[in-house]
Each structure stands twice: as structure tokens, then as C-alpha cells.
């Protein structure tokens, strides 16, 4: 919408349409001249942009159109040169010589591998994002978004080639253009892969953003021969020929040149370019940023440099980077990993699955999927470094861990000589070998549990809960209840315990717990009924959880690891799942990266007796 001209500006007279457009073009030239000389144009830059958009879609005569293009070319060149260059980050103060372990020759191989691994992983995520958008764009009757994306990709690729950088921009193809064939699934697959291949290039994201901006400004550039055609048509109109012969000559001239595009297409194309840029903005902004040093502290397993070496894998993290020559095995997120070199390649065993890592292959061949019983992983390889990334999100992981923590909380209850823990072991024996060794799960066997260290007992209970949930995963709810009752009979156990344990196992084995809502608070009151809450972990101020008359504070220790501080209890390093059990209370803490799921189930009843309440 154009702004009303100011009194001091040239006001188009009411008269012939040509006079009005001539005066608007002249006004645009004046405002561009002001901009080139460093002055703010009269009416502001907004009025200049509105006037420009109106003129670009106006039915101008050839001479006026040439004047408009000349002024617009100067305006665009000025805008491009006036864009502020990215200022380099200030140099960081180097650490003391005793701690300096970076190579003197510049960027290390580890740093290059770190950046490439995360670029490959981001490109993999970009591929999944584009595949999710494709069905939406394919439902558009005119496939306008796909045509805009195709045009932006073509122009971005041309901008990256020195021989094509000065050529005329590729126009947005017409509807159902047979040369693009955008309703062909194979063409769309090639288009998606080409966009991802562009994005993983060092300057690919910037070129694509610039190309989308150019499509918005000029949806279909004026053909270079359009003025020549207009001159020939005017000359043919002056030829001393019969009307029929003159019309035949004009039609013949028109067939030698492409038909001009309908200017009414421009608003729709501009809107599609704006919407596409808005849809892709979160993806483009989430890409890995180039860094000058490289690798975060304590982030690479088996790294040679002490500063970047990771002591042990973090099960609460969504990714793990491994320096393959530095070790041979690890255990992460419930899976045993082994690897060995095979010439220039690596053989990786994840659980029972074996994969071949080929560092010298193309980028698309250095990404593979590991389908494991308990998790799905994507693996990326760069040189001697491997990146494992879990495909599950925070909500999914936190829900699974919280329901497992409810089972562990029952198993840590020392009542009746750890009856729940003994019953769990008996049920696992019944499912695995068809019988129960009553001596190994008798009341006298609980003496070892009472004397065990808290972390050792926690790990033992968790392993037993995970094994039993895996065995019960394919059984129905009545089948789980029957298994627990059959295991309780030889031990002389019964009453509410069997029902509570069967209910908790059903929720954990079948993933029935409702995902908790995410909160961003520093002080949170946990519900008394044991409902889980999801809270963002924060450094300042630290997160404090209140449950009943108690409070637990979560903060980082001197090593940068998250720690749970409960008065009267030793500090606990926060793992992916931490269950604290004491007189009159039970606390479940599940962590995924920077998110925490917390629940304080009551100790006098089962927190999983009613799954819908969780």
C-alpha cells in the first residue's frame, strides 16, 4: 500500500495514465538519488520500498521501464554494498601455557571432524524437515511454493559457480512447466537432496537466503530481448502493408520471443517466497556455526587431548562423539558398542547389529541408521571420529525414563525384606527359564540389599526393572498381572504389593505414561499425587524442587556436571535417571540434555496404580 505523497513532492496529475506513471518513475529516481547520496529519502525508506513494489508491477511503456530498471539497478547495488559485513568475534584471552593443548599450526583434525560431523547431522535433520513439508506443498493447486523453492535453488547454485554468477536470474517457472515436472515424486526427491547438498556447503545457507530474497524482489526478471521485440513490433506496425499481412508479420515476430509473463502473478509469488522463507527460518538458524577453536571441553570419548576428553558417556545426552582409535568399546543408552579397524574403514557393532563405517565415502554414504530394540540411532563418521545421535526427542525419553523410575522406586522400598525387588527377580526367572529359584529370592537374600551402597543398589534395581520390562513388552495387561501373581505365590507375597507392581510394570513396558508439560521456572512445587513435571534445567538461578516438607536443589558442580542436593543426604551426580528413596519420601529425576522430568510419588500407595493420572 503506497503512502500519500507529501505536499513538497511531485503529485501525479489526474489525466492520462502514462503521465501518472512517468511522474512516479521520476519520483522513484529522485528518491533513489537521495539514497545513493547518503540521505534519507523524503517520506522515509518505507515509502521508497512501497513505491518500488508498485512500479515493478506497473504496465509501463518501454522507455519508462528502461528508466525504472536503471534506477532500480543502482538502488539494489547500493543496498548490497551497504549491508554491514560480519564483524569477527573478539579474540579470546589464551589460557595459561600449562593448559594450552591446541596445535600451533591452526585448526586441528579433531576440530575439523567435530564441525563436519555436526554439519552432516544437521543436513540429515534438514532432509527430514523438507520431507515433512513436501506433502503440504504438493497439495497446493499451482505448486507455487515448490516453484519458488526450485527457482531459489537454481539461482543459489548459479551464484556459487563463477562462470554463471553474472547471468540473468532464473525466473519462477510457469504453472505445470513441463521442464520442471514438479508433480513427479522422483523430481521432488532430487530437489530435496539438492537443497540439502546446498545447505551443507560452507556458504550454502547464505546463498539460499539471498536467492529467496531475490525471488521476492523480482519473481520473473524482464527478458533481455523484450525491448528488441517491442521495437520490432512497433516497426512492423508502421510497415505499408495490408492489415492482414501486418497482423501475420506481427504474429510471426511474437513466435520468435517468449510471451511476457502476466504481472498479476507477482503478488502471489512474493507471498509464497515470504512464507517459504518464514518456514525455513528455524531450520536455517539451527545450523552449526563455524568456530575458531573448536571442540567443547570434555565432549569426545577417548580423545587424545585431556581438555576435550570425555570421562564417560552421558546417557542423558542425545549424542555421543567417539575418537575411534582411542578405544574399542563403550556402553551408552543401554547398548554395548564395539569397533575395530578394517583397513581404511571401521567395523561397528551396536548390540547385535553390525555396520561398516566408510570415512572416505561421499557425505550421504557416511550416514547410517542403527535400529536397536530400545532406541533408534543415526551414525555419522568423519575421519577417525564417530557421532551417534538418538532419534528420540526429550518428551519421549523423559516419559520412558519416568515410568521406569516409578518401578525402581517400588523396588528400592525396604519393606518386607525388599519384597518388591525379590518379586521382580522371581518374575524375571519365571519368564526366562519357566521356574523360580526360591532360595535366590527368599527373605534371607535381602541381607545383601540392606548392606549395599545406595548407588550400587540403585543400579541393580534399574537393571532388573529394564530386563523385566523388556520381557513383558509383548504381553497384555492381564498377562502382566498374571505373571506377577504367579511369581508372588511361591514367595508367600500378596496383597496390594502385587497390584502396585503389576500396574507400574504395565505403564513402563507399554509406555502408557502421559508426557509431562514443559515449564520454565526456577522454583517448582511437585504435585502430591506423584504427577510428573518437566522443567528446564538452568544455571542462574539454580532449579529448586519442593515436595512435601523437603526441597532438592539442582546445580552444576565444579566439573560442570548436574548435581542433586537434598539436605541430610550426600550430593548425587544427576544421571539420565536418578531415583532417591528415603523414610517417608520417594523422588524420581529423569534428564534429557537440558530438560528434567521430576515426580515425587507417595510412599503409601503405588504411583502407577492409575496410569491416566500420571
Amino acid at each position: 500500500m503506497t503512502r500519500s505523497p507529501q505536499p513538497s513532492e511531485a503529485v501525479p496529475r489526474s489525466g492520462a495514465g502514462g503521465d501518472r506513471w512517468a511522474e512516479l518513475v521520476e519520483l522513484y529516481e529522485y528518491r533513489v538519488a537521495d539514497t545513493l547520496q547518503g540521505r534519507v529519502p523524503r517520506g522515509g525508506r518505507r515509502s521508497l520500498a512501497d513505491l518500488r513494489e508498485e512500479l515493478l508491477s506497473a504496465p509501463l511503456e518501454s522507455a519508462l521501464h528502461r528508466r525504472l530498471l536503471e534506477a532500480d539497478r543502482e538502488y539494489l547495488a547500493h543496498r548490497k554494498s551497504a549491508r554491514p559485513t560480519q564483524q569477527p568475534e573478539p579474540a579470546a584471552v589464551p589460557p595459561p601455557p600449562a593448559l594450552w593443548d591446541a596445535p600451533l599450526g591452526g585448526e586441528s583434525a579433531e576440530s575439523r571432524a567435530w564441525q563436519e560431523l555436526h554439519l552432516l547431522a544437521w543436513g540429515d535433520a534438514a532432509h527430514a524437515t523438507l520431507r515433512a513439508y513436501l506433502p503440504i506443498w504438493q497439495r497446493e493447486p499451482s505448486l507455487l511454493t515448490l516453484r519458488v523453492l526450485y527457482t531459489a535453488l537454481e539461482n543459489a547454485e548459479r551464484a556459487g559457480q563463477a562462470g554463471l554468477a553474472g547471468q540473468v536470474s532464473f525466473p519462477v517457472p510457469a504453472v505445470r512447466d513441463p521442464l520442471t515436472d514438479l508433480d513427479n515424486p522422483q523430481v521432488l526427491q532430487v530437489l530435496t537432496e539438492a537443497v540439502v547438498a546446498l545447505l551443507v556447503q560452507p556458504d550454502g545457507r547464505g546463498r539460499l537466503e539471498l536467492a529467496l530474497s531475490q525471488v521476492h524482489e523480482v519473481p520473473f526478471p524482464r527478458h533481455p530481448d523484450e525491448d528488441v521485440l517491442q521495437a520490432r513490433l512497433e516497426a512492423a506496425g508502421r510497415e505499408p502493408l495490408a492489415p492482414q499481412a501486418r497482423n501475420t508479420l506481427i504474429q510471426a515476430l511474437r513466435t520468435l520471443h517468449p510471451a511476457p509473463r502476466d504481472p498479476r502473478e507477482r503478488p502471489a509469488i512474493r507471498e509464497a517466497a515470504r512464507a517459504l522463507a518464514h518456514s525455513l527460518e528455524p531450520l536455517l538458524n539451527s545450523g552449526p556455526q563455524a568456530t575458531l577453536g573448536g571442540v567443547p571441553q570434555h565432549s569426545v570419548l577417548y580423545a587424545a587431548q585431556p581438555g576435550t576428553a570425555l570421562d564417560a558417556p552421558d546417557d542423558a545426552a542425545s549424542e555421543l562423539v567417539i575418537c575411534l582409535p582411542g578405544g574399542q568399546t563403550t556402553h551408552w543408552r543401554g547398548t554395548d558398542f564395539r569397533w575395530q579397524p578394517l583397513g581404511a574403514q571401521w567395523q561397528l557393532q551396536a548390540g547385535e547389529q553390525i555396520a561398516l563405517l566408510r570415512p572416505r565415502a561421499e557425505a550421504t554414504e557416511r550416514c547410517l541408521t542403527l535400529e536397536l530394540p530400545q532406541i533408534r540411532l543415526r551414525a555419522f563418521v568423519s575421519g577417525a571420529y564417530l557421532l551417534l545421535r538418538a532419534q528420540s526427542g526429550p518428551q519421549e525419553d523423559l516419559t520412558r525414563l519416568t515410568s521406569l523410575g516409578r518401578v525402581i522406586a517400588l523396588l528400592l522400598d525396604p519393606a518386607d525384606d525388599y519384597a518388591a525387588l525379590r518379586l521382580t527377580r522371581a518374575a524375571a526367572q519365571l519368564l526366562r527359564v519357566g521356574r523360580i529359584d526360591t532360595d535366590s529370592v527368599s527373605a534371607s537374600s535381602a541381607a545383601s540389599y540392606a548392606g549395599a551402597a545406595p548407588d550400587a543398589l540403585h543400579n541393580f534395581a534399574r537393571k532388573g526393572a529394564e530386563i523385566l520390562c523388556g520381557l513383558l513388552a509383548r504381553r497384555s495387561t492381564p498377562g502382566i498381572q498374571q505373571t506377577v501373581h504367579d511369581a508372588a505365590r511361591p514367595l508367600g507375597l500378596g496383597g496390594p504389593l502385587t497390584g502396585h507392581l503389576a500396574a507400574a510394570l504395565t505403564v513402563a513396558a507399554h509406555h502408557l505414561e502421559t508426557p509431562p508439560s514443559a515449564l520454565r521456572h526456577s522454583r517448582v512445587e511437585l504435585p502430591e499425587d506423584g504427577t510428573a513435571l518437566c522443567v528446564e534445567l538452568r544455571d542462574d538461578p539454580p532449579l529448586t524442587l519442593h515436595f512435601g516438607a523437603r526441597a532438592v536443589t539442582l546445580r552444576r558442580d565444579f566439573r560442570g556436571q548436574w548435581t542433586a542436593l537434598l539436605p541430610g543426604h550426600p550430593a548425587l551426580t544427576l544421571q539420565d535417571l536418578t531415583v532417591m528413596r528415603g523414610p517417608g519420601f520417594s523422588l524420581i529425576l529423569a534428564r534429557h540434555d537440558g530438560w528434567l522430568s521430576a515426580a515425587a510419588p507417595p510412599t503409601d500407595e503405588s504411583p502407577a496404580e492409575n496410569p491416566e493420572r500420571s
Side-chain angles (χ1 to χ4, degrees):
M1 180 177 181
T2 57
R3 179 185 59 86
S4 300
Q6 300 298 321
S8 59
E9 297 174 355
V11 181
R13 296 184 301 273
S14 59
D19 293 341
R20 175 179 181 274
W21 293 121
E23 292 179 357
L24 287 178
V25 169
E26 184 177 2
L27 177 61
Y28 181 65
E29 291 174 334
Y30 282 133
R31 290 182 174 177
V32 169
D34 287 342
T35 303
L36 297 181
Q37 295 174 12
R39 299 192 298 268
V40 177
R42 184 177 298 273
R45 294 185 176 87
R46 176 68 180 180
S47 64
L48 174 60
D50 291 341
L51 178 61
R52 176 178 180 271
E53 186 167 350
E54 181 179 0
L55 289 174
L56 288 176
S57 59
L60 302 179
E61 298 178 355
S62 300
L64 287 178
H65 200 278
R66 283 195 295 271
R67 289 173 56 187
L68 173 65
L69 290 182
E70 181 64 27
D72 195 54
R73 190 178 299 110
E74 296 178 355
Y75 174 61
L76 292 178
H78 174 75
R79 282 182 56 188
K80 184 176 181 180
S81 62
R83 288 175 181 169
T85 57
Q86 185 176 3
Q87 297 297 326
E89 294 291 334
V93 178
L99 301 178
W100 182 256
D101 55 7
L104 299 179
E107 192 178 39
S108 66
E110 185 174 89
S111 175
R112 289 192 297 270
W114 175 274
Q115 295 181 20
E116 185 184 27
L117 285 173
H118 286 84
L119 190 60
L120 289 174
W122 178 76
D124 187 63
H127 199 282
T129 300
L130 291 174
R131 285 201 309 269
Y133 278 129
L134 279 181
I136 302 174
W137 297 338
Q138 285 178 287
R139 288 195 292 267
E140 296 178 1
S142 62
L143 302 178
L144 185 55
T145 303
L146 288 174
R147 289 190 283 139
V148 170
L149 179 61
Y150 181 90
T151 305
L153 173 65
E154 179 71 22
N155 288 329
E157 289 179 340
R158 291 186 178 195
Q161 302 175 24
L164 300 178
Q167 290 194 5
V168 177
S169 298
F170 184 79
V172 175
V175 180
R176 307 298 177 188
D177 188 329
L179 296 180
T180 57
D181 198 17
L182 291 175
D183 52 357
N184 187 332
Q186 295 181 349
V187 173
L188 293 180
Q189 181 179 355
V190 173
L191 175 64
T192 302
E193 294 174 352
V195 172
V196 174
L198 171 68
L199 292 178
V200 298
Q201 296 178 18
D203 59 343
R205 279 174 280 168
R207 298 206 323 253
L208 183 63
E209 289 176 328
L210 180 60
L212 279 173
S213 176
Q214 291 172 344
V215 171
H216 180 269
E217 292 180 352
V218 186
F220 34 86
R222 188 178 178 87
H223 195 277
D225 296 336
E226 195 166 336
D227 292 335
V228 176
L229 171 62
Q230 188 63 31
R232 289 178 176 177
L233 293 177
E234 293 176 358
R238 295 191 296 268
E239 288 292 331
L241 299 173
Q244 184 176 1
R246 185 181 297 109
N247 290 337
T248 302
L249 175 59
I250 291 175
Q251 293 299 325
L253 290 174
R254 291 186 184 278
T255 58
L256 299 177
H257 299 270
R261 298 285 292 272
D262 187 349
R264 292 175 295 181
E265 290 185 68
R266 289 193 178 98
I269 292 176
R270 289 190 172 114
E271 180 59 31
R274 187 182 300 112
L276 179 59
H278 179 72
S279 299
L280 296 181
E281 183 178 5
L283 171 66
L284 299 178
N285 291 341
S286 66
Q289 303 296 323
T291 58
L292 291 178
V295 183
Q297 294 290 303
H298 309 296
S299 56
V300 180
L301 188 65
Y302 298 129
Q305 298 291 338
T308 60
L310 178 67
D311 296 335
D314 183 3
D315 284 333
S318 59
E319 66 177 38
L320 174 65
V321 178
I322 304 174
C323 178
L324 296 173
Q328 294 180 328
T329 64
T330 190
H331 183 86
W332 183 60
R333 295 179 72 100
T335 302
D336 290 318
F337 295 90
R338 299 177 181 274
W339 58 89
Q340 62 180 354
L342 292 178
Q345 303 172 346
W346 293 87
Q347 184 187 59
L348 173 68
Q349 181 177 355
E352 300 298 327
Q353 186 175 352
I354 296 179
L356 186 64
L357 308 177
R358 300 188 295 166
R360 298 182 181 178
E362 296 293 331
T364 55
E365 299 177 358
R366 288 187 281 126
C367 310
L368 52 93
T369 302
L370 301 175
E371 295 283 359
L372 304 174
Q374 65 274 26
I375 195 171
R376 184 174 185 265
L377 300 174
R378 287 287 283 170
F380 308 89
V381 61
S382 173
Y385 290 83
L386 172 68
L387 168 62
L388 298 173
R389 175 165 289 187
Q391 292 297 95
S392 57
Q395 290 282 357
E396 181 182 346
D397 264 0
L398 292 176
T399 303
R400 175 182 59 83
L401 290 171
T402 302
S403 59
L404 180 64
R406 297 188 189 277
V407 178
I408 298 173
L410 290 176
L411 303 189
L412 294 179
D413 186 359
D416 296 328
D417 299 313
Y418 287 92
L421 184 53
R422 294 188 290 114
L423 179 54
T424 300
R425 294 189 59 199
Q429 292 178 6
L430 186 62
L431 292 173
R432 298 175 76 174
V433 298
R435 59 183 179 83
I436 298 175
D437 182 2
T438 55
D439 292 337
S440 64
V441 293
S442 64
S444 59
S445 66
S448 59
Y449 307 151
D455 56 344
L457 183 61
H458 177 279
N459 295 336
F460 181 77
R462 176 175 181 173
K463 184 175 181 180
E466 289 176 335
I467 292 174
L468 185 56
C469 287
L471 295 172
L472 295 173
R474 296 185 179 181
R475 292 178 177 262
S476 63
T477 299
I480 294 176
Q481 294 173 348
Q482 187 62 46
T483 300
V484 174
H485 284 288
D486 291 345
R489 193 177 302 113
L491 303 182
L493 299 175
L497 172 62
T498 56
H500 293 168
L501 183 59
L505 288 170
T506 301
V507 174
H510 293 165
H511 306 294
L512 299 178
E513 182 153 345
T514 303
S517 301
L519 303 175
R520 284 182 167 86
H521 303 305
S522 59
R523 298 174 62 87
V524 175
E525 187 80 29
L526 298 182
E528 295 181 358
D529 63 354
T531 301
L533 295 180
C534 182
V535 191
E536 184 181 23
L537 289 169
R538 55 180 64 200
D539 291 308
D540 188 22
L543 174 63
T544 302
L545 304 176
H546 296 268
F547 56 105
R550 297 175 176 84
V552 60
T553 301
L554 300 151
R555 64 170 72 237
R556 295 184 189 271
D557 61 9
F558 67 96
R559 299 167 297 178
Q561 297 180 344
W562 287 103
T563 304
L565 303 174
L566 182 64
H569 296 264
L572 286 178
T573 299
L574 206 60
Q575 306 296 334
D576 63 323
L577 177 60
T578 302
V579 180
M580 305 173 68
R581 181 90 191 212
F585 81 92
S586 183
L587 180 63
I588 301 169
L589 303 174
R591 182 172 68 90
H592 179 104
D593 286 341
W595 289 95
L596 180 82
S597 175
T603 55
D604 56 347
E605 65 171 297
S606 169
E609 189 172 4
N610 184 5
E612 295 181 356
R613 184 189 60 196
S614 302

